[in-house]
Amino acid sequence: MVLDLADLYRYLLHHPDDSTLAAEFDHARAYLRIERARLGQSRLSVDSELPDALRNHRVPALLLQPLVENAVKHGIATRKSGGSVRISALTNERYIFIEVRDRGTGELLGAPEPGSGIALAALKESLDRRFGDEASIDLEVGDAETLARVRLPLASTDPRRES
């Protein structure tokens, strides 16, 4: 766990603005390993899927952090049996879609703590400044599952683009 914490801090120092999608996934998985240690190994399962073709695409640093943190805080930690978090990325001819899905299992451990929405609002504002209407973030909240989906323009994240 100490090594994962060190990796998180190192990531923050080396990726102040942009990062590759692969580095974002690695950072999110390190954070989730810490949460597994905190919650208990059996209460949190993690799965991720990042196609090789998207690994080097440039995205805003810390894009995934608030999404996976919310997934754990609101979807997993609030359930007696915990649940699962899945991080994935896919593309079509115009966009990259990055998804964080949490599925809680078991009964609720009291009322879910309401969020302030600050992290998602800051993320939306950051995406809007950088990509305008080409980017979006959507949240679909259900009783036992929540899906956060970020849409980014493929051309603006392409590692081959000229700066």
Side-chain angles (χ1 to χ4, degrees):
M1 191 163 91
V2 171
L3 290 175
D4 285 328
L5 279 170
D7 287 344
L8 288 176
Y9 287 120
R10 196 171 14 263
Y11 181 84
L12 294 173
L13 292 172
H14 295 288
H15 297 93
D17 298 317
D18 269 11
S19 177
T20 64
L21 199 48
E24 275 293 296
F25 268 61
D26 289 345
H27 174 74
R29 285 188 293 256
Y31 171 80
L32 290 167
R33 282 192 300 272
I34 293 167
E35 287 293 349
R36 283 186 80 194
R38 182 179 73 82
L39 294 170
Q41 297 293 320
S42 65
R43 290 198 59 222
L44 175 59
S45 66
V46 177
D47 183 33
S48 64
E49 181 179 358
L50 176 60
D52 286 341
L54 298 178
R55 293 184 60 76
N56 292 320
H57 279 261
R58 305 296 298 177
V59 297
L62 299 175
L63 174 72
L64 282 172
Q65 176 65 32
L67 302 178
V68 296
E69 190 172 331
N70 280 348
V72 171
K73 180 180 179 182
H74 300 293
I76 307 304
T78 62
R79 298 287 182 156
K80 185 175 183 177
S81 299
S84 64
V85 173
R86 177 169 171 68
I87 308 166
S88 60
L90 56 120
T91 187
N92 65 19
E93 55 279 344
R94 291 191 58 206
Y95 297 103
I96 290 177
F97 299 94
I98 303 162
E99 297 182 347
V100 176
R101 180 182 308 268
D102 68 76
R103 289 189 177 118
T105 57
E107 65 185 83
L108 282 171
L109 298 171
E113 184 179 316
S116 64
I118 293 172
L120 289 180
L123 182 55
K124 284 181 183 185
E125 184 179 315
S126 173
L127 293 176
D128 189 47
R129 271 195 317 271
R130 180 162 173 182
F131 301 108
D133 292 340
E134 288 289 302
S136 66
I137 180 168
D138 297 306
L139 196 60
E140 298 173 16
V141 180
D143 288 338
E145 178 177 289
T146 299
L147 172 65
R149 180 181 296 120
V150 176
R151 182 190 75 197
L152 301 174
L154 186 60
S156 296
T157 65
D158 192 328
R160 298 168 294 178
R161 77 175 194 267
E162 294 190 24
S163 300

